[in-house]
Amino acid sequence: MYSTPLAVLGLIYASVVTGMTLQRRAVDFFDPAHGGGTMFDNATFGGEPLNVIISGLSSPDVLTDDGVLKYAKANGFSQECFGFHLGAPQTANLGDGHNSKNQTVEIFRQDGPSANSGALFLAASKEKDASKNHDLIDDGYNIGRNELVAAAVGTKSHDGVTYNTVARNITGMMPAGSNGVNHGIAVDGVVTLLTVSIQ
């Protein structure tokens, strides 16, 4: 397990996708705002930023539930620590025609009828430990994103699969500041796009 506590340690649940023909998508993602969505999920005290996107142009096997779990393990992350989860499940509107949809732990998949990119939207943050109820640290959204990206970029392997990840920062999709942000913690407005290729 990665030593830094991140909300994204809870990235994924393991479920196996079988019997599907996987095809590479045509776009990285669709901007949720174009379909009435937003780059913030719906949390208890405001929205949490969807500050990392795994591109729909990534290798198709990465974008399945089982595949992204394996990818997370290659980067030093795992399922939520020992199965514990604090906090209520959240929803997000990715502008894909599904309106608000439930999270799969910390992942939201853009796969609706009007914007089916297959991209995965993540709410990354850095938290305090369980004894402090996993409250966010100061600047926890930006730091969580940056640490997740730093762990992912480059070439990593897990269980016989090798991944290469390239990151690109995007501005203009998310407003900077703390207005409407969960816990009143300011964000810098940067979303990082990860494109993951299986070697």
Side-chain angles (χ1 to χ4, degrees):
M1 181 176 292
Y2 192 65
S3 60
T4 303
L6 297 172
V8 179
L9 287 175
L11 270 187
I12 321 190
Y13 70 92
S15 81
V16 179
V17 176
T18 60
M20 290 178 62
T21 301
L22 300 175
Q23 298 178 349
R24 186 176 292 274
R25 306 295 176 131
V27 297
D28 287 311
F29 62 91
F30 294 101
D31 185 338
H34 295 165
T38 176
M39 289 300 295
F40 290 90
D41 68 12
N42 301 305
T44 306
F45 304 106
E48 294 198 344
L50 300 174
N51 51 14
V52 177
I53 301 172
I54 298 179
S55 169
L57 296 179
S58 297
S59 294
D61 285 344
V62 174
L63 300 174
T64 68
D65 292 338
D66 187 54
V68 74
L69 174 62
K70 291 176 181 176
Y71 172 64
K73 288 181 176 179
N75 296 326
F77 300 103
S78 186
Q79 290 172 274
E80 294 185 273
C81 292
F82 305 108
F84 292 108
H85 178 73
L86 299 178
Q90 298 170 4
T91 62
N93 183 345
L94 301 182
D96 61 0
H98 279 320
N99 297 314
S100 288
K101 62 192 294 186
N102 291 330
Q103 67 184 56
T104 304
V105 190
E106 300 298 329
I107 290 180
F108 301 90
R109 178 174 280 109
Q110 190 176 54
D111 60 359
S114 58
N116 186 4
S117 69
L120 305 177
F121 287 64
L122 314 176
S125 60
K126 185 169 183 178
E127 302 173 341
K128 299 173 184 176
D129 63 29
S131 69
K132 296 180 180 172
N133 298 315
H134 290 291
D135 288 340
L136 269 68
I137 67 167
D138 293 340
D139 201 28
Y141 295 121
N142 297 330
I143 292 171
R145 176 203 60 218
N146 293 345
E147 290 190 0
L148 183 149
V149 170
V153 168
T155 302
K156 307 289 170 59
S157 297
H158 173 74
D159 199 21
V161 180
T162 300
Y163 306 89
N164 183 263
T165 303
V166 177
R168 177 168 58 97
N169 287 339
I170 301 169
T171 57
M173 292 178 62
M174 176 190 300
S178 61
N179 188 31
V181 181
N182 200 27
H183 303 296
I185 295 175
V187 298
D188 59 12
V190 173
V191 176
T192 302
L193 178 70
L194 301 179
T195 304
V196 185
S197 300
I198 293 177
Q199 305 296 294

